[in-house]
Amino acid sequence: MSTVSYYTADGLKKLREELDYLKSVMRPKASADIAEARDKGDLSENAEYDAAKEAQGMLEMRIAKLEEVHSNARLIDETNLDLSKVLVLSNVKIKNQTNGMEMKYTLVAESEADLKTGKISVTSPIGRGLLGKSVGEVAEITVPNGVLKFEILEITRD
């Protein structure tokens, strides 16, 4: 059973581009590699042929997986999002109540998460803990090291 994934317009575009690249560039290259290896003689002792066939199999698995993800992808309609609560695509400024450190994150779908750019998944412990909270509320989030308390300072949208 496949699960529905939610994407921003940019995230869905990147998914489509990767799928198109794999189908239009990598698939023909894999076929050419197999044909080249086949031309080198006896297939029973041809390691290059076996490697090319295995690479093609891995590529086809990746394409099938991306096609499944794409078919279950849903575009997030940003115009109907509630601005008073933390939701997907919210930019959230939070303050760690233990050490006073302030952080800013954007909550995104799991497939678009990238901590380096400040994008955390709504399915991560912190993301789940922040969902539905309003400015001024304190989110108590259980992590492996214990319980973290974050005060919601600001919620914005781009």
Side-chain angles (χ1 to χ4, degrees):
M1 183 172 175
S2 48
T3 58
V4 173
S5 301
Y6 294 95
Y7 286 86
T8 60
D10 189 41
L12 193 57
K13 181 181 174 208
K14 286 179 184 176
L15 179 68
R16 283 187 192 129
E17 287 172 355
E18 182 180 0
L19 188 55
D20 290 343
Y21 174 76
L22 291 177
K23 286 179 167 182
S24 63
V25 176
M26 296 305 293
R27 187 180 269 167
K29 182 185 178 314
S31 295
D33 290 346
I34 290 171
E36 182 181 321
R38 189 181 310 123
D39 292 342
K40 293 187 178 180
D42 185 14
L43 296 182
S44 64
E45 297 177 11
N46 189 336
E48 192 175 331
Y49 177 78
D50 292 338
K53 287 293 282 181
E54 185 174 331
Q56 181 189 37
M58 297 298 282
L59 175 66
E60 291 301 325
M61 281 182 10
R62 178 77 178 137
I63 289 171
K65 176 68 177 160
L66 286 178
E67 284 178 334
E68 179 184 343
V69 169
H70 186 265
S71 69
N72 293 309
R74 302 294 180 265
L75 186 62
I76 299 170
D77 181 7
E78 299 177 46
T79 59
N80 294 327
L81 295 179
D82 183 1
L83 298 174
S84 66
K85 294 183 179 181
V86 178
L87 301 170
V88 176
L89 300 181
S90 293
N91 296 314
V92 184
K93 186 174 182 182
I94 57 176
K95 181 177 181 180
N96 186 328
Q97 295 209 313
T98 306
N99 61 15
M101 189 172 151
E102 291 185 7
M103 298 157 279
K104 190 166 188 169
Y105 294 115
T106 302
L107 273 70
V108 296
E110 187 172 348
S111 56
E112 295 182 58
D114 181 10
L115 194 56
K116 292 178 196 164
T117 59
K119 295 179 178 180
I120 62 171
S121 168
V122 293
T123 59
S124 69
I126 293 175
R128 278 195 312 261
L130 295 175
L131 283 176
K133 299 285 191 256
S134 300
V135 174
E137 284 189 67
V138 175
E140 292 188 14
I141 301 165
T142 304
V143 294
N145 289 348
V147 176
L148 297 175
K149 293 182 181 182
F150 294 109
E151 180 182 356
I152 313 295
L153 300 176
E154 180 181 81
I155 302 169
T156 59
R157 300 269 192 288
D158 286 339

